[in-house]
């Protein structure tokens, strides 16, 4: 008999704020609720742009050039398109269903804007951005970039045509995830048809949560989590059962905690204050490269 992974709390979206002029986000952690900044480690930040309409605009909305060091940013596009450029010469468009996994590590500059065509037309926009911490030994490794289209994401088809599980990282029912990660991470995008039931296990010590991107889900036969809510699990038990109350999309996040000191300041996630100061010095000295605004 497997033990149930207990629900700690179902969190409604905290008040939204703008990131630049292109992203209207609910920050579930670390700022939105009074929870420890390592509570979801290795996930440090979850910004969720709940579905909304952007009116047409010729000049694309977004966030200008800014640095990152010490972690990875993962952007998941559910609706709308985001264009991206970085100081390593990478660029691309994150289309609906795609994922961009950027390893900032030793340091990178980037900018994130609505894609021009989307901006001119306007329309529904829905995104997730995660910041995933790196262990000390990998913080200063070279920057990297994984552009993962929806077609490239490994998929598990639920028997009986009941939906699809996109295995972004880790492994689900023998299907290995597509993204490379530095620490053990399970990340799935579950697209469930109405009344689909699915059960799975995640390690007890992994920090675990589920964002309800669309629809509504009954968790462990007990509590219903509506759209735009985040289900935070205790580090107790392993077994989760879900039942879609309507057609639903769920983002499952689970990872082995990084048990190291963490000093977070602005766009940098390091282990010590000295390393934060070094990051500012290196940034000001132009060591993060160059990128036109
Ligand atoms: Mn950024």
């Amino acid at each position: 008999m497997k033990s149930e992974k207990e629900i700690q709390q179902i969190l409604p979206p905290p008040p939204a704020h703008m990131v630049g002029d292109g992203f209207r986000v609910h920050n579930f952690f670390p700022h939105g609720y009074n929870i420890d900044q390592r509570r979801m480690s290795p996930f440090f930040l979850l910004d969720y742009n709940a579905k909304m309409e952007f009116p047409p605009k010729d000049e694309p909305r977004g966030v200008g050039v800014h640095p990152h060091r010490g972690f990875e940013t993962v952007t998941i596009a559910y609706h709308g398109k985001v264009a991206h450029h970085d100081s390593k010469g990478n660029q691309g468009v994150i289309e609906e269903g795609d994922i961009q996994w950027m390893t900032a590590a030793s340091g990178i500059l980037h900018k994130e804007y609505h894609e021009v065509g989307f901006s001119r037309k306007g329309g529904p926009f829905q995104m997730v951005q995660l910041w995933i911490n790196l262990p000390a030994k990998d913080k200063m490794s070279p920057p990297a970039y994984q552009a993962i289209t929806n077609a490239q994401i490994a998929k598990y088809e639920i028997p009986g045509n009941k939906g699809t599980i996109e295995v972004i990282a880790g492994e689900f029912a023998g299907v290995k995830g597509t993204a490379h990660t530095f620490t053990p991470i399970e990340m799935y995008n579950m697209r469930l048809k109405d009344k689909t039931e699915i059960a799975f296990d995640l390690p007890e010590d992994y920090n675990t949560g589920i964002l309800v991107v669309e629809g509504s889900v009954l968790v462990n036969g007990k509590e219903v989590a509506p759209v735009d809510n985040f289900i935070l699990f205790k580090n107790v038990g392993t077994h989760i059962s879900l039942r879609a109350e309507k057609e639903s999309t769920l983002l499952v996040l689970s990872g082995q905690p990084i048990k190291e000191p963490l000093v977070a300041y602005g766009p940098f996630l390091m282990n010590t204050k000295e390393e934060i100061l070094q990051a500012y010095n290196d940034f000001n000295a132009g060591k993060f490269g160059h990128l036109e605004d």
Side-chain angles (χ1 to χ4, degrees):
M1 182 67 192
K2 287 167 174 173
S3 65
E4 176 186 296
K5 193 177 275 296
E6 294 178 22
I7 300 167
Q8 178 173 327
Q9 204 177 348
I10 296 178
L11 303 170
H17 68 274
M18 293 302 295
V19 177
D21 65 354
F23 304 90
R24 182 182 182 274
V25 304
H26 304 275
N27 179 266
F28 282 97
F29 56 85
H31 309 297
Y33 287 94
N34 188 24
I35 53 179
D36 187 276
Q37 65 176 6
R38 288 190 294 181
R39 175 63 186 83
M40 275 299 290
S41 172
F43 309 99
F44 174 78
L45 173 146
L46 169 56
D47 269 352
Y48 172 51
N49 193 133
K51 199 195 291 174
M52 59 173 289
E53 290 278 329
F54 273 104
K57 189 167 180 283
D58 282 340
E59 185 74 6
R61 301 171 176 90
V63 190
V65 175
H66 60 278
H68 292 299
R69 173 180 277 181
F71 64 102
E72 304 184 281
T73 65
V74 176
T75 306
I76 306 173
Y78 289 98
H79 290 281
K81 298 179 184 184
V82 170
H84 169 266
H85 295 80
D86 72 36
S87 52
K88 297 292 163 187
N90 298 304
Q91 56 175 285
V93 175
I94 312 165
E95 309 240 0
E96 293 188 1
D98 296 351
I99 293 166
Q100 187 221 56
W101 197 296
M102 186 184 81
T103 306
S106 65
I108 204 163
L109 305 175
H110 77 158
K111 56 182 180 180
E112 303 152 281
Y113 281 93
H114 295 190
E115 184 268 334
V116 174
F118 169 79
S119 188
R120 286 187 181 147
K121 207 166 143 227
F125 191 83
Q126 188 178 27
M127 298 272 156
V128 163
Q129 187 168 88
L130 291 158
W131 289 13
I132 301 179
N133 196 15
L134 289 171
K137 68 178 177 54
D138 296 315
K139 280 190 182 294
M140 293 303 283
S141 60
Y145 180 79
Q146 301 175 73
I148 304 170
T149 64
N150 192 268
Q152 290 170 332
I153 302 172
K155 293 178 184 74
Y156 171 77
E157 298 296 338
I158 304 168
N161 193 29
K162 290 187 176 293
T164 302
I165 295 175
E166 299 170 357
V167 188
I168 301 167
E171 184 175 339
F172 189 94
V175 176
K176 288 220 185 328
T178 305
H180 166 267
T181 66
F182 285 81
T183 59
I185 287 172
E186 302 291 325
M187 191 185 299
Y188 322 130
N189 205 29
M190 297 187 163
R191 299 181 189 269
L192 308 179
K193 302 271 177 71
D194 187 15
K195 298 187 178 55
T196 294
E197 295 184 24
I198 189 110
F200 51 99
D201 286 84
L202 293 165
E204 188 160 44
D205 65 321
Y206 280 27
N207 291 324
T208 300
I210 301 176
L211 178 66
V212 183
V213 175
E214 294 280 354
S216 172
V217 66
L218 177 68
V219 188
N220 293 342
K222 286 179 182 151
E223 290 191 60
V224 172
V227 69
D228 298 338
N229 277 230
F230 185 78
I231 307 151
L232 178 64
F233 290 89
K234 294 180 187 172
N235 295 85
V236 173
T238 63
H239 197 66
I240 296 174
S241 65
L242 303 174
R243 181 183 189 275
E245 301 290 280
K246 52 181 90 162
E247 191 165 331
S248 298
T249 301
L250 310 171
L251 177 63
V252 178
L253 305 174
S254 186
Q256 188 181 75
I258 297 173
K259 292 179 175 168
E260 296 177 353
L262 177 65
V263 181
Y265 201 90
F268 306 128
L269 286 190
M270 303 305 290
N271 298 108
T272 66
K273 277 184 193 166
E274 290 71 27
E275 289 167 350
I276 294 287
L277 284 173
Q278 188 65 47
Y280 276 99
N281 288 339
D282 289 350
F283 170 62
N284 289 328
K287 291 185 183 170
F288 283 54
H290 181 75
L291 184 64
E292 292 291 336
D293 242 321

